[in-house]
Amino acid sequence: MSIAFTFPGQGSQAVGMGKALADEFSVARAVYEEVDDALGEKLSDVMWNGPTDKLILTSNAQPALMAASIAAMRVLEEKGLVLADKVSFVAGHSLGEYSALAASGALSLSDTARLLRIRGDAMQKAVPVGEGAMAAILGLTIEDARAVAAAAAEGEVCQVANDNATGQVVISGAKAAIERAAVLAKEKGAKRALLLPVSAPFHCALMAPAADVMAEALAGVTINKPSVPLVANVLASSVDDPEAIRKHLVEQVTGMVRWSESVMWLANNGVDCLFEIGTGKVLTGLARRIVKGIATVNVGEPADIDAALEKLV
């Protein structure tokens, strides 16, 4: 069995996330303590007690999801997992790419928490509220979604932001253009075209100011060679050179999350089992749509640990 570890992105957050692991394992609690210290506030309290409207803020959700993923990683490691011995690749969906880099030792936990707080703030501030939008297009190919976005742009930003799975694409850009695209998508045969309840138009050219902020922030942190190669969002292939990783993290802010291609690349390079490390099962569901028959394992709760270790150790 060839294994890849994947790490979820925004949308998987939920009040109570990670608390059961922290209650049971001191090594998981230590992760939350370090993240709280790095941010200078009790993010763990928001994660475990809410309120939901505070947790879903981009600047909170991003470091929170990473913390939950790394807490699960630390428990696996305490029980014998050596990542490089058992796992062929790591990958993460959007902010999950930072979780993947922290898990593989490319970034320190404290630096990752601070970077994701900066990233979340910068993405929120890049576009005034109400001027941008995102929409999920279900039932169109990536090529058809691109054509719809191009036709709807009319001089405004309108582009594919996430290629999540076969027939599941997200577009992002100026609000009026996204609304036009949703109508065109239905006319072109989309099963559904839904405006998403997001606070900013992520992964499109409107995020250029946030990319500039991240370029400066990333220039000030140490990135090590990861113990396991990263399958980068913007490449849909592996990379382990620290300077290339730094460059691709900046590109990722405005670039498309090529998740469907990334999972297919993993399968084409021998991976037959995907572990989703952290909160939720979004990536598990996508993986099963992208590669029929691929094995999946979720690791986010205490009950998941022993079952995961049976496959790993």
Side-chain angles (χ1 to χ4, degrees), residues 94 98 119 122-123 126 201-215 218 234 247-256:
S94 190
Y98 286 79
R119 184 178 184 268
M123 293 172 88
F202 304 132
H203 297 291
C204 76
L206 295 177
M207 287 288 110
D212 292 339
V213 171
M214 291 312 298
L218 285 158
V234 297
K247 172 175 174 283
H248 297 318
L249 286 174
V250 176
E251 295 169 343
Q252 186 220 61
V253 179
T254 56
M256 181 173 72

Side-chain angles (χ1 to χ4, degrees), residues 286-299:
L286 294 178
R288 291 172 178 167
R289 293 182 60 180
I290 297 164
V291 180
K292 300 301 181 186
I294 196 165
T296 57
V297 177
N298 292 92
V299 187

